[in-house]
Amino acid sequence: MVKLAEWRGKDVFRKYGVPLPRGAVARSAEEAESLTRSGAVPLPCVVKAQVLSGGRGKGGLVRFANSPEEARSAAASILGLTFKDEKVKEVLLEEKLPINRELYVSLTLDRALRLPILITSPHGGVEIESVPDSEIDRQPVDPFPGLTAYERRRAAKSLGLEGGPAKSLDGLLVGLWNAFQREDAELVEINPLAVVGDRLVALDAKVTIEDDASFRHPDYAEIRDDRTPLEEIAREKEIAFVQLDGNIGVIANGAGLTMATLDVLKELGGSPGVFLDLGGTDDPKKVAEAFLLMAQAKPAAVFLNIFGGVTKCDTVARGLVEAMSQVAPADRFPLVARIRGNNEVEGTTILRAAGVTAVPDLKESAQAAVEAARRAR
Ligand code: GDP
Ligand code: MN
């Protein structure tokens, strides 16, 4: 899944004729000032942090500015902040529009119905999850005819729109549907969709592109605004590394074993926080590098689940022991290992000599990792 930052989502909208405020992206406070001074962004303007998490409005990451100086200081106060683990590297500056009403519109896939679904609500500008179900209209869309005139009229009715705004909605929905379908999106969301006089304007854009279709959209494949700083480093080193919310680090080899390991930990009441797939590495240096990256994520405990094939158990063990010696004593964490397969005995001996708990049974070892994390907290 490729999540696009607001400004990238708006680039998609623009391509399909969805009406937007005039605006531009700035990566420094100076740039924010000059964009408003030159008139590229009309004043007064809105200065919005470009992060993927929602709730920026409430979080103080949407500011207003009446002059180039104010645009500069608004950008300066937002850039570099960390919001829900994301660093703000860009701000979007847009003309500030007088809003009459804020609406909600999205197209997404309904997995139960196995169809696209058009979701509309007259309550925009708040999280859709907080809107009562009775105030949300959901229309499944047959992908072959696409979004029909009937469905578009019903959407206008559900939003309480008539006349000019209803007409504006009709064109907007055609564009939104085309964007959803042609870009292979999983979600296109406008929240809020603002009523500005007789027009509608998309004030926000949330677009996610289906990963499996990325071969049709090479432009998106390189966009990963959703990587954490550690994930970014891992990518450069070609290490498969993903950060989650929990506190147990998982090191395994192969996607299947890695996923199964996460499941087992969850089932035993643990909470995986970061995982690393060593794949077919047979290089102790690479294992050490990956382990040090994991150490930077500060897990409460680490569970190592390796099936030795091409990746030999003793190779992993050696890499690990080497890496552990490089972690400062204060930053060390308990390590529980289950290593089976090629050179299992050698690997286990190396690990035990280094003080690692090595247990051959999966459930027992996973349980030990969960306990270790619990104690460390
Ligand atoms: P989110 O909180 O991360 O979803 O960020 P949004 O892009 O939805 O912006 C949050 C809120 O800022 C919106 O609901 C609007 O109330 C307000 N806002 C954004 N752009 C404008 C604008 O051009 N004019 C006015 N008056 N308010 C705006
Ligand atoms: Mn929003």
Side-chain angles (χ1 to χ4, degrees):
M1 191 176 67
V2 184
K3 270 193 188 181
L4 304 187
E6 178 188 4
W7 69 269
R8 291 190 203 273
K10 284 180 167 167
D11 277 353
V12 173
F13 284 180
R14 192 171 296 111
K15 188 167 147 193
Y16 291 94
V18 173
L20 299 167
R22 284 172 291 172
V25 175
R27 292 178 180 83
S28 69
E30 295 71 40
E31 202 181 349
E33 179 176 345
S34 71
L35 283 170
T36 44
R37 201 176 288 288
S38 70
V41 176
L43 288 167
C45 75
V46 187
V47 183
K48 305 169 81 178
Q50 297 300 287
V51 287
L52 296 169
S53 310
R56 293 169 301 168
K58 265 184 266 165
L61 295 196
V62 176
R63 307 265 171 103
F64 299 100
N66 293 304
S67 66
E69 291 75 24
E70 282 182 24
R72 181 194 185 103
S73 67
S77 67
I78 296 175
L79 285 164
L81 288 181
T82 301
F83 182 66
K84 299 181 187 169
D85 284 341
E86 269 180 88
K87 198 151 186 169
V88 183
K89 295 181 200 151
E90 302 164 324
V91 291
L92 176 63
L93 293 106
E94 284 182 335
E95 60 180 324
K96 183 181 176 193
L97 296 166
I99 303 175
N100 301 130
R101 287 178 60 204
E102 297 189 32
L103 314 172
Y104 176 94
V105 173
S106 71
L107 278 161
T108 188
L109 282 172
D110 186 306
R111 292 187 193 277
L113 293 172
R114 300 178 185 186
L115 283 174
I117 186 165
L118 172 66
I119 304 174
T120 49
S121 170
H123 305 286
V126 295
E127 275 172 41
I128 192 68
E129 289 79 8
S130 66
V131 176
D133 226 40
S134 57
E135 298 288 306
I136 300 174
D137 188 44
R138 295 186 171 81
Q139 301 189 68
V141 180
D142 184 332
F144 294 105
L147 195 64
T148 62
Y150 163 76
E151 286 150 359
R152 303 196 300 270
R153 276 197 302 276
R154 179 168 134 185
K157 201 157 178 234
S158 80
L159 295 172
L161 299 178
E162 284 171 357
K167 203 160 173 249
S168 173
L169 180 78
D170 197 69
L172 179 146
L173 287 178
V174 171
L176 198 65
W177 170 258
N178 288 340
F180 179 75
Q181 206 173 40
R182 293 184 201 159
E183 303 295 326
D184 291 300
E186 282 187 352
L187 170 73
V188 288
E189 182 188 76
I190 309 177
N191 185 24
L193 173 63
V195 182
V196 179
D198 231 17
R199 303 187 293 142
L200 294 181
V201 184
L203 291 196
D204 195 4
K206 198 163 167 189
V207 175
T208 61
I209 305 294
E210 168 61 56
D211 246 356
D212 291 333
S214 56
F215 70 96
R216 281 202 285 261
H217 308 283
D219 293 359
Y220 293 132
E222 268 308 294
I223 304 171
R224 279 296 152 104
D225 293 334
D226 51 346
R227 286 196 194 96
T228 66
L230 286 179
E231 286 172 349
E232 198 60 55
I233 297 170
R235 193 181 77 101
E236 278 156 24
K237 299 190 171 185
E238 295 178 31
I239 297 170
F241 178 93
V242 177
Q243 279 185 286
L244 307 168
D245 289 335
N247 63 348
I248 304 178
V250 171
I251 304 177
N253 59 330
L257 186 62
T258 307
M259 292 302 139
T261 307
L262 299 179
D263 285 348
V264 169
L265 288 170
K266 279 234 157 184
E267 211 164 282
L268 295 173
S271 171
V274 47
F275 67 86
L276 193 61
D277 175 4
L278 294 178
T281 312
D282 191 32
D283 176 357
K285 271 211 204 83
K286 191 114 193 186
V287 173
E289 214 173 37
F291 183 81
L292 289 172
L293 205 59
M294 168 147 298
Q296 286 183 55
K298 305 228 178 295
V302 166
F303 182 39
L304 176 78
N305 189 10
I306 298 294
F307 181 75
V310 175
T311 312
K312 292 194 268 308
C313 293
D314 58 329
T315 304
V316 175
R318 249 186 283 278
L320 222 61
V321 170
E322 162 63 24
M324 261 203 302
S325 69
Q326 291 177 38
V327 178
D331 293 339
R332 286 194 194 147
F333 36 77
L335 190 61
V336 178
R338 173 195 178 251
I339 50 174
R340 304 301 301 264
N342 200 0
N343 292 359
E344 167 180 333
V345 176
E346 293 86 333
T348 305
T349 309
I350 295 169
L351 287 177
R352 287 199 176 138
V356 176
T357 312
V359 185
D361 180 72
L362 175 58
K363 197 166 170 189
E364 268 174 48
S365 55
Q367 189 72 58
V370 172
E371 288 304 322
R374 196 165 289 151
R375 274 195 305 271
R377 227 182 302 161

